[in-house]
Amino acid sequence: MIRIILASGSPRRVELLTRMGVSFETIPSTFEEHLDESRNAEEVATELALGKAKNVATLHPDALVIGSDTVVALNQRQMEKPRDIEDAREMLTSLAGHESSVSTGIVIVSLNQNVELAKVGTTKIYFKLDSPEVAALRESYLATNDWKDKAGGYGIQSGADTLIDHIDGDYDTVVGLPTALLRGMFTELGIHI
C-alpha cells in the first residue's frame, strides 16, 4: 500500500482530504513561507506548496507527500496571514467591494519514486460592497477569532461567507485544497480515489 503524507497541519486541508476518502498521515512541514510580489500569486502558491512537500519528503522518501499553499491577492498585492485583529480588520476592509483571487498550489512529491507533480487552482472572490451592515458583519466575524492563521484574514467555510457576494471558481481552492485537481493528479499516478 502506498504511504500518503499531507505536509500540513491545517484542519481544513485534513478535512477535505479525509472527505476524498484518502488514507493518509499528517506531518506538518517546517518550510518557511515567503510571499514574492515580483511574481504572480499562482507561481508563488505552487513554489510554496513544493517547498512544503519537499521538506517532508526528505524525511520520508518512500511516501507520496502532498504539499499545498494558498495565496490571496488583491490587485497583485499578496496578503499574508494577519498579525493581529487590527491587521485582519484592515485586510477585510480592503477586500470589501473588490474582486480578489485565491490561488492554491497543490504538489505531490515522492523522492524514491521520482515523482513531482504540481498544479494550481485559482478562484475569484467578489466581496460585498462596504456598508454599515457589512461593517457589522465584519466585526461579528472578527470577534470569532476565525481570521487567525488564514491568508487574507478570512475563512470562507467558517463564517466569512457573509462578507462575500459570490465566487467564480472552485470552492475547495478557497478553503485550501483543490480536491478536483488533486483527484486528477492521483489518477495520473494510477491511484484511484
Side-chain angles (χ1 to χ4, degrees):
M1 187 170 153
I2 298 169
R3 184 177 176 213
I4 297 173
I5 298 173
L6 176 64
S8 173
S10 161
R12 301 163 300 279
R13 291 187 178 120
V14 168
E15 182 184 341
L16 288 170
L17 194 55
T18 300
R19 268 200 251 149
M20 288 178 70
V22 176
S23 179
F24 66 97
E25 301 167 52
T26 301
I27 301 176
S29 170
T30 57
F31 178 76
E32 283 196 39
E33 304 171 38
H34 298 286
L35 299 180
D36 179 358
E37 291 184 352
S38 70
R39 295 178 299 137
N40 72 50
E42 291 183 335
E43 205 177 319
V44 173
T46 304
E47 181 180 287
L48 295 176
L50 180 61
K52 289 178 176 180
K54 283 186 171 179
N55 175 264
V56 172
T58 56
L59 302 172
H60 305 277
D62 60 314
L64 283 177
V65 179
I66 301 166
S68 186
D69 198 82
T70 300
V71 176
V72 176
L74 173 64
N75 300 325
Q76 306 304 324
R77 178 180 145 231
Q78 296 169 15
M79 303 177 94
E80 304 263 0
K81 295 172 183 173
R83 294 178 303 276
D84 53 33
I85 194 166
E86 288 304 320
D87 198 25
R89 182 177 288 113
E90 183 183 313
M91 287 180 183
L92 291 173
T93 302
S94 71
L95 289 165
H98 293 97
E99 171 196 319
S100 58
S101 66
V102 176
S103 298
T104 299
I106 185 88
V107 174
I108 300 177
V109 171
S110 174
L111 299 182
N112 285 357
Q113 297 175 51
N114 199 28
V115 169
E116 188 177 302
L117 291 177
K119 304 269 184 196
V120 65
T122 296
T123 296
K124 299 287 184 195
I125 311 292
Y126 298 86
F127 279 78
K128 292 176 181 174
L129 286 169
D130 214 359
S131 68
E133 293 80 16
V134 168
L137 290 170
R138 183 166 52 242
E139 290 306 313
S140 293
Y141 175 70
L142 288 167
T144 69
N145 288 326
D146 182 70
W147 52 267
K148 291 182 177 179
D149 198 41
K150 291 185 174 72
Y154 71 94
I156 192 173
Q157 74 288 349
S158 49
D161 57 331
T162 60
L163 305 173
I164 295 168
D165 184 67
H166 67 283
I167 71 169
D168 182 9
D170 179 55
Y171 180 84
D172 288 352
T173 295
V174 184
V175 177
L177 191 77
T179 53
L181 288 178
L182 183 56
R183 191 177 305 278
M185 293 164 80
F186 278 134
T187 300
E188 275 185 62
L189 295 171
I191 301 167
H192 299 286
I193 304 298

